[in-house]
Amino acid sequence: YMYKNFISDVLEEGVMLDEIEDYVEKWHTSEDMEMTLKEFIGLDNYEYEMWLKEGDDILRDVLYCRRHGLELKNYYSMSDEDRLAARSYDLNAVKEYKNNGK
């Protein structure tokens, strides 16, 4: 099995979130690794920064955002109500709500 990156492998290959430690260890112990840890995990700059600061718990939010076409930074800047709406309704309803304020 070839690793793409952790986020892709969770979304596409059924890798479990708790396998993150295996990926980090693989990155640390691989002698021919050509990717940065950020690339190997599959995070953008903001996601990586938040992961380092907040830990593995943010990976659920990263996956949620990837599945729904949201940027983590935008998701985190939403109010709790908007975040709840984003998790409760489909993305088109959320976009409409954001555009029309309804």
Side-chain angles (χ1 to χ4, degrees), residues 2-3 26-36 40:
M2 279 298 297
Y3 295 93
K26 169 90 172 135
W27 183 82
H28 279 292
T29 58
S30 178
E31 293 181 16
D32 59 352
M33 181 61 62
E34 295 181 8
M35 291 185 214
T36 64
F40 193 61

Side-chain angles (χ1 to χ4, degrees), residues 10 17 19 30-31 34 40 56 60 71-72 87 94:
V10 171
L17 262 179
E19 294 179 54
S30 178
E31 293 181 16
E34 295 181 8
F40 193 61
D56 294 346
R60 290 184 194 288
E71 285 190 38
L72 187 67
R87 288 193 300 259
V94 173

